[in-house]
Amino acid sequence: MTGDQPVENVRSVEPAQPAKPAQPLDRRLARAVQRVTSTALGPYQTAVVRIGFSLTWLLFLLRELPHRHELYGPDGPWAWDMGRRLIADNGSFTALMWSDSGLWFEIVYGLAVLSSALLLLGWRTRATSVVFMAGVLSLQNRSVFMGDGGDNVVHIMAIYLVLTRCSQVWSLDARRAARAEDALRRGDLPRGDVVGPLLWTVLGGFLLAATYYSGRTGEGWLLGLLWLLWSAQALWWMVCRYGPGEPRTLLDVLANLVHNATLLVIMVEVCLIYATAGWYKIQGSRWQDGTALYYPLKLDYFTPWPALSDLLASGGVMVMLLTYGTVLVQVAFPFTLFNRKVKNVLLAAMMLEHAGIAVLLGLPFFSLAMIAADAVFLPTVFLVWLGARAAGGRDRALARLGRGAVPGQRPAETEGAPRTLVG
């Protein structure tokens, strides 16, 4: 065999491709910092939380409208003088302690209803979220013995919502911002905002009144938080008007950091609620022997549908499975956050559980509050799909009414929405 003859049955060996080096830790850390500072994460999740809690509180206030005087007003068992002494001791905030007038009570209750509706729609969300928080705290702190676990969750989340940018999607604010961007692309000059400064000026007047009456209500830390929020909004308006560029970018970064930190706190709060509830249940003998669910099904106070409750309570195996399943889901949920598929399964199970509590035990507002809190863990893909479905249904309804809507058109607020790590 000569040297110029082909060599048969010999495989050519290609040089191995070098493996891609792993990104250094400092580069990954820089990318994470860039993501956290440049983007308000979880836009769809925070929007659902905003809609869920504002809807829960709005429905509760409307349902209790005939009984508002007995719950929080002058006809309640907790008299105004007793409430004033309690507020002086615990330092909580309630605007209802500014006056014992029936007219003032009606004004506060009406503002609570109005702010809930406006927050649900996402109109001037930063301002309405502050009024929403003040309404929740004013009514709940007036009669602290009238609430349940759902009211406690609404109480906490009302404070958290103030610190989030929860109107990025599915809100009137998002639609207004999209229209302003379209106007800029067309070369039109945007019109000056008059409603925003006027609204915050009015809120500043109420804040001055709250400061004057702080000796009665003893709000303490909350009053300082409200002044901080008002000052931050005033600074934001001045920078946007007179100092765009780097000052605006710096404030935007700070707002993103506050939003993302608050979103993390909300997620941790939900995990703590379920973890503590599950571990306390484990210590109960009725939960250990699988009969805990049987007893509330036999209480008249928790049986809006007696026939349905009796039917479920008659099945011993079903009662045992639901009792143990409740404990298992609540204890295991915080540990499933590291596995997306398992987390989504348990999340659906918890939402179905709360829906069952609403029907079987007659606790609809508690269930709505917990479902709204659970929504912070919903997958972004599912929320985008749900929003597209809702927008399609809206467009078809408007088309039938002859308003010229185009079926299937994507809403402006969902276009170009920031991506998220949540879900």
Side-chain angles (χ1 to χ4, degrees):
M1 182 174 60
T2 59
D4 55 353
Q5 291 178 341
V7 179
E8 298 179 359
N9 300 327
V10 177
R11 296 180 61 184
S12 60
V13 180
E14 297 181 357
Q17 296 292 333
K20 292 183 179 180
Q23 291 185 351
L25 180 61
D26 55 349
R27 181 176 299 179
R28 286 181 291 176
L29 183 60
R31 291 182 62 182
V33 172
Q34 171 71 17
R35 183 73 179 276
V36 171
T37 56
S38 64
T39 306
L41 301 175
Y44 294 96
Q45 285 78 10
T46 51
V48 172
V49 171
R50 182 199 86 232
I51 294 171
F53 280 101
S54 58
L55 179 63
T56 301
W57 187 241
L58 176 63
L59 293 177
F60 174 79
L61 294 179
L62 294 178
R63 203 277 299 270
E64 300 297 342
L65 190 63
H67 314 289
R68 63 190 184 280
H69 292 161
E70 290 78 10
L71 283 175
Y72 307 113
D75 299 333
W78 198 250
W80 190 81
D81 291 334
M82 297 173 63
R84 186 176 179 180
R85 289 198 296 268
L86 177 64
I87 295 302
D89 291 336
N90 58 25
S92 57
F93 168 82
T94 171
L96 294 177
M97 289 293 102
W98 297 357
S99 172
D100 59 351
S101 169
L103 177 61
W104 175 242
F105 169 77
E106 298 294 347
I107 292 174
V108 173
Y109 200 92
L111 287 176
V113 174
L114 179 61
S115 62
S116 302
L118 294 178
L119 186 62
L120 174 65
L121 298 175
W123 183 83
R124 305 289 175 175
T125 310
R126 185 68 68 187
T128 53
S129 64
V130 175
V131 182
F132 175 79
M133 176 187 67
V136 171
L137 299 184
S138 295
L139 293 175
Q140 290 189 354
N141 290 338
R142 172 62 179 86
S143 299
V144 293
F145 302 107
M146 293 296 181
D148 55 17
D151 293 319
N152 293 336
V153 176
V154 174
H155 191 110
I156 295 172
M157 293 300 175
I159 300 175
Y160 292 157
L161 282 176
V162 175
L163 304 176
T164 62
R165 311 183 85 169
C166 55
S167 62
Q168 299 178 89
V169 296
W170 300 342
S171 66
L172 296 179
D173 290 345
R175 187 177 68 172
R176 186 176 66 253
R179 289 178 176 177
E181 291 180 1
D182 292 339
L184 288 176
R185 283 195 292 265
R186 292 193 304 266
D188 300 335
L189 293 177
R191 293 180 298 178
D193 184 17
V194 179
V195 178
L198 179 61
L199 183 60
W200 281 97
T201 301
V202 173
L203 291 179
F206 277 103
L207 192 54
L208 286 174
T211 304
Y212 175 77
Y213 286 102
S214 60
R216 283 183 205 180
T217 55
E219 48 265 20
W221 66 271
L222 182 63
L223 186 62
L225 174 62
L226 292 176
W227 272 116
L228 179 62
L229 292 172
W230 193 90
S231 302
Q233 190 66 28
L235 178 62
W236 179 274
W237 180 82
M238 293 179 60
V239 168
C240 292
R241 186 174 180 86
Y242 301 108
E246 292 186 1
R248 166 67 184 273
T249 303
L250 176 61
L251 291 183
D252 201 44
V253 168
L254 294 177
N256 289 334
L257 287 174
V258 172
H259 167 92
N260 295 329
T262 307
L263 180 60
L264 178 62
V265 170
I266 292 175
M267 298 169 69
V268 173
E269 187 78 35
V270 175
C271 291
L272 287 176
I273 290 174
Y274 283 115
T276 53
W279 286 107
Y280 271 109
K281 286 182 175 66
I282 289 178
Q283 302 175 39
S285 59
R286 296 293 178 261
W287 292 96
Q288 293 176 5
D289 59 26
T291 62
L293 183 62
Y294 174 84
Y295 298 98
L297 293 175
K298 290 299 182 178
L299 294 176
D300 294 337
Y301 185 78
F302 293 110
T303 54
W305 313 97
L308 183 59
S309 298
D310 291 339
L311 178 62
L312 181 60
S314 62
V317 176
M318 181 59 66
V319 170
M320 182 187 66
L321 291 177
L322 290 176
T323 302
Y324 286 152
T326 300
V327 176
L328 177 62
V329 168
Q330 292 182 353
V331 172
F333 178 74
F335 301 100
T336 63
L337 299 180
F338 303 100
N339 189 303
R340 182 172 300 181
K341 293 182 179 179
V342 178
K343 181 262 296 182
N344 292 336
V345 172
L346 289 188
L347 187 61
M350 287 193 302
M351 289 185 170
L352 290 175
E353 174 191 341
H354 290 303
I357 291 174
V359 175
L360 292 173
L361 303 183
L363 297 172
F365 300 110
F366 166 77
S367 299
L368 279 176
M370 292 308 304
I371 291 174
D374 296 340
V376 74
F377 294 105
L378 285 174
T380 303
V381 175
F382 170 75
L383 293 176
V384 172
W385 174 85
L386 186 64
R389 285 297 205 186
R394 177 203 61 192
D395 292 338
R396 285 190 295 270
L398 293 177
R400 292 191 186 96
L401 294 175
R403 297 182 182 178
V406 180
Q409 183 179 4
R410 289 185 63 191
E413 60 266 26
T414 62
E415 296 178 359
R419 298 178 63 187
T420 174
L421 289 174
V422 182

